[in-house]
Amino acid sequence: MKKSNKKLLVVAIATALTAASAGSALALENQFSGAFTTFFDVGNFAGTNLIEKDAPTANYFVQRFRLGYTAKADDHVKLVTKFEFDYNFWGNSSYAPNSHDNSAARGSGGALGADSVNMETKSIYLDLNYPQINTKIGMMPNNDSFKGILFDADMAGVLLSHDYSNASIAAGYFRFHDSADGGKPGEDVLGKNTFDMYSLDGKYNISKDLAVGAAYYFIRDQHTPGFYTVYPDAKVHTLGLNAAGNVGPVALNGFAVKQFGDITTGRDAKGYAFNVGAKMPLAGGTARSEFLYVSGGKNAFYVPSSDNGATEGGQFYDSEMIMLGRDKFATTIDNAIIYDVNNNEEGVIMGTLGYDYTFNDKVSASANAGFAAVAKDLQARSANGDSKYLGTEINAEAYYKLTANVTLGARAGYLFLGDHFKGISAGEDADNLWDAKLIAKYNF
């Protein structure tokens, strides 16, 4: 073979390999999405978690960026990931972690110099979507069928589901924690002392105006208790019904839930909860309402928590409260009168009203009002007169769409504390709570 022909052959092979490689890369569809949110917050509770007389006013800036990446091979296979980058508050730290600052890097880097390792992995899971069954495998976001009062978090597991013409069913297994020990010094046995959940969820559309569902969750906590473990050795069954339907112009939804089993060693699980929500068009906008009851005391409602002390459910964001319930904009700094529906075993009685109005394609606003009480008063203070009333909150928010992707907004609220807190500040009544935010968001 002539030298020139050899060169041509080499070029042809290289070109073919390059084309094949490019074809393989082009077959993978790369999808990116994300959201940047920053806000300025000022108030006497959100940044301090203090309920007292002459409560100090805190002000701080928060920044969060969430990045989603999906590697889609075809219509049936994709890898879904989500990452988070937080500055818990501007000015917190820089160059973390380092030799003179051993603090955790999560949420750091908001101070002069930045340069901190603060990327958080929210979820990484494989999504296999076939006509017969959808399978999700890995660390994924997952929430219950009862508006998140039991769990609403990222969790590692396997979730199988299938949609029928008028129904759907899902079954899953999730591992919340593995102590990686055998219960004895020197024993490192994976899978022995674990914190697991098994789930079964079904829905059926009776008609275009009525859908019903049922769900069962079994949570078994056998992991070696951590410092913040509230209910060691829990074996809790949660069984409930939910429904959503239309009655004329009113859209109704709700649920009823009962727990049984063992909430902890030597103590039965007896928690229960029910809810009803409604929406309807009104004066060009949308009126909303929610009512929630969660039992307390000897009937305390079980909510699972991580070993870092954070409950992974029970938020009930549907209330749209800022201080009475958890604020939908709160990031790592996240304080509320009712942090979760267990509410220190006192339970919750809550009712809220809201109204949303869109003025034009640029401007929208909402207003909300809500009250809350405990279902069972367990406070030892006599000053509150055994009052269950936590307080009443009013809040409002307004947004301006600067571009298709950028939104500017403001959100503020005021909470009139109830008699449940009477005399809480060294025998004196605490100040009412207030909070205000200026918000900027960019979504892509």
Short mmCIF file of all heavy atoms in Angstrom, two decimals, residues 374 377 379-389 419-420:
data_model
loop_
_atom_site.label_atom_id
_atom_site.label_comp_id
_atom_site.label_asym_id
_atom_site.label_seq_id
_atom_site.Cartn_x
_atom_site.Cartn_y
_atom_site.Cartn_z
N VAL A 374 -52.73 24.53 70.29
CA VAL A 374 -52.26 23.17 70.51
C VAL A 374 -53.46 22.28 70.79
O VAL A 374 -54.47 22.73 71.33
CB VAL A 374 -51.24 23.10 71.67
CG1 VAL A 374 -50.01 23.92 71.36
CG2 VAL A 374 -51.87 23.54 72.99
N ASP A 377 -52.44 20.84 75.85
CA ASP A 377 -51.52 21.74 76.53
C ASP A 377 -50.66 20.95 77.52
O ASP A 377 -51.17 20.39 78.49
CB ASP A 377 -52.31 22.82 77.27
CG ASP A 377 -51.41 23.83 77.97
OD1 ASP A 377 -50.20 23.85 77.63
OD2 ASP A 377 -51.89 24.58 78.83
N GLN A 379 -47.75 22.44 78.79
CA GLN A 379 -46.88 23.41 79.45
C GLN A 379 -47.07 23.35 80.96
O GLN A 379 -48.18 23.17 81.47
CB GLN A 379 -47.19 24.82 78.95
CG GLN A 379 -46.92 25.02 77.46
CD GLN A 379 -45.44 24.94 77.14
OE1 GLN A 379 -44.60 25.23 77.97
NE2 GLN A 379 -45.13 24.54 75.92
N ALA A 380 -45.94 23.55 81.67
CA ALA A 380 -45.98 23.53 83.14
C ALA A 380 -46.29 24.89 83.73
O ALA A 380 -46.53 25.02 84.93
CB ALA A 380 -44.65 23.02 83.68
N ARG A 381 -46.29 25.94 82.86
CA ARG A 381 -46.50 27.28 83.39
C ARG A 381 -47.96 27.47 83.80
O ARG A 381 -48.89 27.14 83.06
CB ARG A 381 -46.14 28.35 82.34
CG ARG A 381 -44.71 28.31 81.87
CD ARG A 381 -44.38 29.55 81.04
NE ARG A 381 -45.43 29.93 80.13
CZ ARG A 381 -45.60 29.41 78.93
NH1 ARG A 381 -44.79 28.46 78.52
NH2 ARG A 381 -46.56 29.84 78.13
N SER A 382 -48.17 28.06 84.94
CA SER A 382 -49.54 28.35 85.40
C SER A 382 -50.03 29.69 84.85
O SER A 382 -51.22 29.96 84.81
CB SER A 382 -49.60 28.38 86.93
OG SER A 382 -48.70 29.36 87.44
N ALA A 383 -49.07 30.54 84.41
CA ALA A 383 -49.43 31.89 83.97
C ALA A 383 -50.32 31.88 82.74
O ALA A 383 -51.10 32.80 82.52
CB ALA A 383 -48.16 32.70 83.68
N ASN A 384 -50.20 30.81 81.92
CA ASN A 384 -50.99 30.81 80.70
C ASN A 384 -52.43 30.33 80.92
O ASN A 384 -53.22 30.28 79.98
CB ASN A 384 -50.31 29.98 79.60
CG ASN A 384 -50.26 28.49 79.91
OD1 ASN A 384 -50.85 28.02 80.88
ND2 ASN A 384 -49.56 27.74 79.07
N GLY A 385 -52.75 29.95 82.16
CA GLY A 385 -54.12 29.55 82.45
C GLY A 385 -54.58 28.37 81.65
O GLY A 385 -55.77 28.25 81.30
N ASP A 386 -53.65 27.47 81.31
CA ASP A 386 -53.95 26.28 80.51
C ASP A 386 -54.50 26.64 79.13
O ASP A 386 -55.24 25.87 78.52
CB ASP A 386 -54.93 25.36 81.23
CG ASP A 386 -54.35 24.79 82.52
OD1 ASP A 386 -53.13 24.53 82.53
OD2 ASP A 386 -55.10 24.62 83.48
N SER A 387 -54.18 27.80 78.64
CA SER A 387 -54.67 28.21 77.32
C SER A 387 -53.95 27.42 76.23
O SER A 387 -52.74 27.22 76.26
CB SER A 387 -54.43 29.71 77.10
OG SER A 387 -54.75 30.07 75.78
N LYS A 388 -54.70 27.01 75.23
CA LYS A 388 -54.16 26.29 74.08
C LYS A 388 -53.88 27.22 72.89
O LYS A 388 -53.28 26.80 71.91
CB LYS A 388 -55.13 25.20 73.64
CG LYS A 388 -55.39 24.12 74.69
CD LYS A 388 -56.38 23.09 74.17
CE LYS A 388 -56.64 22.02 75.20
NZ LYS A 388 -57.60 21.00 74.70
N TYR A 389 -54.28 28.46 72.99
CA TYR A 389 -54.24 29.39 71.86
C TYR A 389 -52.83 29.91 71.62
O TYR A 389 -52.24 30.60 72.45
CB TYR A 389 -55.20 30.54 72.14
CG TYR A 389 -55.21 31.65 71.13
CD1 TYR A 389 -55.30 31.39 69.77
CD2 TYR A 389 -55.14 32.97 71.54
CE1 TYR A 389 -55.32 32.42 68.84
CE2 TYR A 389 -55.17 34.02 70.63
CZ TYR A 389 -55.25 33.73 69.28
OH TYR A 389 -55.27 34.75 68.37
N ASP A 419 -52.54 33.35 74.37
CA ASP A 419 -52.33 33.20 75.82
C ASP A 419 -51.52 31.96 76.17
O ASP A 419 -51.10 31.80 77.33
CB ASP A 419 -53.67 33.15 76.54
CG ASP A 419 -54.34 34.52 76.62
OD1 ASP A 419 -53.65 35.52 76.36
OD2 ASP A 419 -55.55 34.59 76.93
N HIS A 420 -51.27 31.07 75.22
CA HIS A 420 -50.41 29.92 75.49
C HIS A 420 -49.00 30.38 75.86
O HIS A 420 -48.28 29.67 76.55
CB HIS A 420 -50.37 29.02 74.27
CG HIS A 420 -49.71 27.69 74.51
ND1 HIS A 420 -50.25 26.73 75.32
CD2 HIS A 420 -48.54 27.16 74.03
CE1 HIS A 420 -49.47 25.66 75.34
NE2 HIS A 420 -48.42 25.91 74.58
#
